[in-house]
């Protein structure tokens, strides 16, 4: 059963061939067996999950209607609020925080009759590329447990890859869905900014954050998008036009895009490992054989993406994280001498090193005197990056490139050098700055049997086409069917 995709499982549950209680129990057996090694979850909800599964089974037995994810065990990243369990953001400052409401995406999953298995580990407040910045625990890569799962949604991608759930949600501010998806050999989609409600997603960089699906197949990704995409009046940045359910991502998924033009940016490949490039080029060859045309496009401002991101994201983070003051939320220091110490000591004790570094960087970039030199300048360059995409997409339907310059690295390999860690997002950050959708799909393995991800970017609000392009490749190849041996 753990070899099934979420959609296959859903179809079997709906048809009465498998019951959701059995599927959910199988997931919890797998959790009991390998979760102590993987460390994907911060919390699990066996009792409520089985209750929900039972309810779905009973409704199916009575021929009552059930939702799109009927009885499918799924996981959510622990930076999405839920009115059950804690919402920790993997931070000591929120370790005991219980949200009074559900994020819109959580409501939507429940309304679609998904079975929520648990909440997954992440880099604290989603700041990181390896999940090593979690203030609560370590997650390892199911393909090689001495390596990182990527980050910041490393818990979600490890859980999907290791069979600890059938699909999951992540959030992506600069690559946090796609990079760990590529490291763990699963599919990860960062939708267009505004496509999915951020209501109830704990904010890191609000103009960049976007929730998206992490799945075993492109088809599952489309299914999850059908459930979570759409306007939400609780999020003023969510977009109302032509989104699901008006547009059903599954309906036309298997129709290939005719006269597909793929943009490539040759100069960007220089920084990638040769084995990563080999896999990417191999994937592009598959499209070529199917009749796609390859065009070279220029992205002259791409090189500035990381610098721009670390000004914009840290500036927004410094503001967003001001609310953790020892009073409104979470951890409060014991026996403060005065009210200033309530703030300073609570924050000093609650936040980890990387979060503190970013708050300081962002506060500096926003301070009077430096605002124009850093923040405003970064916004201007952000516009140039956006314009690069607009221009490039005049010549092609999508752009393909690696997700990350390397495959999964060793635990501890980059923790002493934040800049090295920041560079692992060199290919993913531009999509967030421009707001365009981007997907990572499995496209091969390196010599250490570690998965490689192909990144495909497309114009804003074209997720339907992006998924079709990704699906075209999936139909031709078997990479997405490979599972780490830890699952056996
Ligand atoms: N790795 C990037 C960072 O550390 C992106 C994180 C994310 O997308 N949440 O900011």
């Amino acid at each position: 059963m753990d070899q099934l995709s979420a959609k296959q499982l859903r179809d079997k549950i709906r048809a009465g061939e498998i019951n959701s209680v059995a599927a959910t129990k199988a997931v919890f057996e797998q959790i009991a067996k390998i979760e102590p090694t993987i460390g994907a979850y911060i919390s699990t909800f066996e009792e409520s999950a089985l209750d929900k599964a039972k309810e779905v089974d009973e409704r199916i037995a009575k021929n009552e209607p059930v939702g799109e994810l009927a009885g499918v065990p799924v996981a959510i990243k622990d930076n999405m609020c839920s009115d059950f369990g804690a919402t920790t953001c993997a931070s000591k400052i929120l370790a005991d925080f219980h949200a009074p409401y559900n994020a819109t995406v959580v409501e939507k999953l429940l309304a679609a009759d998904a079975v929520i298995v648990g909440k997954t580990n992440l880099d604290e407040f989603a700041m990181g590329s390896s999940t090593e910045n979690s203030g609560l625990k370590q997650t390892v890569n199911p393909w090689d447990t001495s390596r990182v799962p990527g980050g910041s949604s490393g818990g979600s991608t490890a859980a999907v890859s290791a069979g600890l759930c059938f699909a999951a949600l992540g959030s992506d501010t600069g690559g946090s869905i796609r990079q760990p998806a590529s490291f763990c050999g699963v599919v990860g989609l960062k939708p267009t900014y505004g496509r999915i409600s951020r209501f109830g997603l704990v904010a890191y960089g609000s103009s960049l954050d976007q929730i998206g699906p992490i799945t075993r197949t492109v088809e599952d990704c489309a299914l999850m998008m059908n459930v979570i995409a759409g306007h939400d009046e609780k999020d003023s940045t969510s977009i109302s036009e032509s989104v699901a359910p008006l547009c059903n991502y599954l309906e036309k998924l298997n129709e290939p895009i005719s006269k597909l033009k793929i943009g490539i940016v040759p100069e960007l490949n220089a920084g990638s490992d040769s084995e990563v490039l080999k896999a990417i080029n191999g994937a592009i060859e598959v499209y070529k054989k199917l009749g796609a045309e390859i065009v070279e496009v220029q992205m002259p401002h791409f090189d500035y993406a990381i610098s721009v991101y670390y000004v914009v994201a840290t500036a927004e983070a410094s503001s967003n994280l001001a609310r953790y003051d020892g009073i409104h939320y979470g951890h409060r220091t014991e026996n403060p001498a005065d009210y200033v110490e309530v703030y300073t000591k609570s924050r000093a004790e609650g936040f980890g090193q990387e979060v503190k570094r970013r708050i300081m960087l962002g506060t500096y970039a926003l301070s009077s005197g430096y605002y124009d030199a850093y923040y405003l300048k970064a916004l201007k360059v952000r516009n140039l990056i956006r314009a690069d995409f607009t221009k490039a997409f005049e010549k092609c339907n999508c752009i393909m490139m690696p997700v990350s310059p390397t495959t999964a690295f060793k635990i501890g390999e980059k923790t002493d050098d934040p800049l090295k860690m920041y560079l692992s997002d060199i290919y993913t950050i531009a999509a967030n700055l421009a707001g365009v959708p981007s997907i990572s799909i499995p496209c091969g393995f390196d010599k250490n049997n570690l998965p490689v991800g192909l990144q495909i970017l497309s114009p804003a609000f074209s997720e339907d086409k992006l998924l079709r392009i990704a699906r075209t490749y999936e139909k031709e190849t078997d990479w997405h069917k490979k599972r780490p041996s830890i699952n056996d």
Side-chain angles (χ1 to χ4, degrees):
M1 176 159 22
D2 60 350
Q3 297 299 325
L4 296 178
S5 70
K7 179 163 181 302
Q8 286 167 336
L9 177 67
R10 192 277 313 260
D11 291 346
K12 283 186 185 295
I13 291 175
R14 275 187 174 173
E17 290 168 28
I18 292 181
N19 64 55
S20 173
V21 168
T24 307
K25 277 189 179 156
V27 162
F28 278 99
E29 272 162 28
Q30 181 80 341
I31 289 175
K33 204 171 95 193
I34 60 169
E35 169 63 4
T37 312
I38 303 291
Y41 285 104
I42 289 178
S43 49
T44 50
F45 312 111
E46 187 162 1
E47 211 182 303
S48 58
L50 285 167
D51 285 349
K52 176 78 182 184
K54 199 165 156 241
E55 180 210 311
V56 173
D57 286 341
E58 281 168 4
R59 281 180 16 225
I60 290 172
K62 283 191 247 160
N63 259 333
E64 286 174 11
V66 283
E68 283 223 62
L69 285 172
V72 177
V74 302
I76 48 181
K77 185 175 178 178
D78 202 16
N79 61 350
M80 297 172 205
C81 288
S82 57
D83 67 9
F84 48 91
T87 299
T88 68
C89 292
S91 179
K92 291 194 173 72
I93 213 159
L94 286 179
D96 298 317
F97 172 64
H98 288 251
Y101 59 87
N102 283 330
T104 296
V105 288
V106 174
E107 284 292 321
K108 289 189 171 204
L109 287 178
L110 291 171
D113 288 323
V115 169
I116 298 183
V117 171
K119 300 184 80 176
T120 56
N121 196 23
L122 61 150
D123 288 295
E124 184 176 4
F125 285 101
M127 297 176 185
S129 311
S130 66
T131 314
E132 290 165 293
N133 293 337
S134 169
L136 303 182
K137 70 192 293 187
Q138 171 92 59
T139 303
V140 301
N141 192 311
W143 291 91
D144 176 347
T145 55
S146 70
R147 292 176 189 268
V148 302
S152 65
S153 310
S156 286
T157 56
V160 173
S161 156
L164 305 175
C165 62
F166 282 81
L169 292 183
S171 67
D172 191 311
T173 307
S176 275
I177 289 176
R178 292 159 286 158
Q179 186 256 24
S182 94
F183 279 16
C184 291
V186 295
V187 175
L189 171 69
K190 181 206 89 72
T192 308
Y193 183 78
R195 192 53 115 185
I196 290 166
S197 170
R198 290 183 297 113
F199 179 76
L201 170 70
V202 177
Y204 157 25
S206 312
S207 76
L208 304 152
D209 298 338
Q210 191 58 199
I211 291 172
I214 291 165
T215 56
R216 292 181 187 158
T217 64
V218 174
E219 197 178 44
D220 284 357
C221 197
L223 171 65
M224 291 287 276
M225 283 295 284
N226 276 357
V227 172
I228 61 173
H231 177 63
D232 178 13
E233 60 182 21
K234 293 183 187 142
D235 173 4
S236 61
T237 61
S238 78
I239 307 287
S240 55
E241 286 141 49
S242 61
V243 297
L246 290 180
C247 128
N248 182 327
Y249 297 105
L250 270 176
E251 220 161 61
K252 293 194 179 146
L253 188 65
N254 288 313
E255 284 177 25
I257 306 276
S258 58
K259 300 206 183 106
L260 177 64
K261 277 194 186 166
I262 299 172
I264 53 163
V265 197
E267 62 271 22
L268 286 184
N269 293 340
S272 269
D273 275 5
S274 60
E275 289 191 59
V276 168
L277 280 184
K278 207 170 122 201
I280 302 301
N281 290 335
I284 292 173
E285 280 304 315
V286 171
Y287 282 101
K288 258 195 197 162
K289 280 206 188 99
L290 294 170
E293 185 188 335
I294 311 297
V295 292
E296 286 191 14
V297 292
Q298 271 76 47
M299 299 290 283
H301 302 94
F302 206 96
D303 277 352
Y304 302 106
I306 288 202
S307 320
V308 170
Y309 172 84
Y310 277 97
V311 174
V312 173
T314 59
E316 293 182 11
S318 73
S319 165
N320 277 328
L321 271 59
R323 70 191 72 173
Y324 308 106
D325 53 7
I327 296 168
H328 292 89
Y329 298 90
H331 172 74
R332 179 179 302 168
T333 191
E334 276 174 34
N335 308 320
D338 52 28
Y339 76 90
V340 175
E341 263 196 27
V342 176
Y343 298 141
T344 53
K345 280 199 163 172
S346 301
R347 286 165 73 80
E349 290 161 8
F351 288 138
Q353 203 188 8
E354 183 62 27
V355 173
K356 286 177 187 161
R357 179 170 18 244
R358 293 190 188 201
I359 292 173
M360 285 195 285
L361 266 173
T363 307
Y364 182 76
L366 288 176
S367 59
S368 73
Y370 294 106
Y371 182 95
D372 287 5
Y374 295 113
Y375 186 65
L376 209 59
K377 174 79 93 18
L379 292 188
K380 287 180 181 163
V381 183
R382 182 178 187 174
N383 270 335
L384 295 174
I385 293 171
R386 219 178 255 144
D388 280 356
F389 274 106
T390 310
K391 221 164 150 204
F393 286 135
E394 283 167 9
K395 292 214 244 160
C396 57
N397 310 96
C398 68
I399 299 173
M400 292 189 187
M401 62 175 76
V403 177
S404 174
T406 66
T407 52
F409 43 87
K410 290 267 185 196
I411 291 168
E413 193 180 319
K414 299 191 181 184
T415 37
D416 292 339
D417 187 346
L419 282 182
K420 238 177 164 181
M421 189 73 91
Y422 295 173
L423 283 174
S424 49
D425 299 319
I426 192 151
Y427 294 119
T428 47
I429 274 172
N432 301 74
L433 291 170
V436 300
S438 165
I439 194 168
S440 168
I441 55 172
C443 74
F445 289 85
D446 71 1
K447 61 175 183 305
N448 296 321
N449 197 34
L450 296 168
V452 181
L454 167 72
Q455 184 177 204
I456 317 174
L457 305 100
S458 70
F461 303 113
S462 66
E463 284 86 354
D464 52 337
K465 291 206 188 78
L466 180 60
L467 288 164
R468 281 165 64 192
I469 296 169
R471 175 74 182 137
T472 304
Y473 178 76
E474 192 175 75
K475 279 196 291 194
E476 294 294 314
T477 57
D478 278 338
W479 305 118
H480 62 285
K481 292 184 187 150
K482 306 256 189 275
R483 299 268 177 274
S485 53
I486 198 158
N487 289 13
D488 301 339

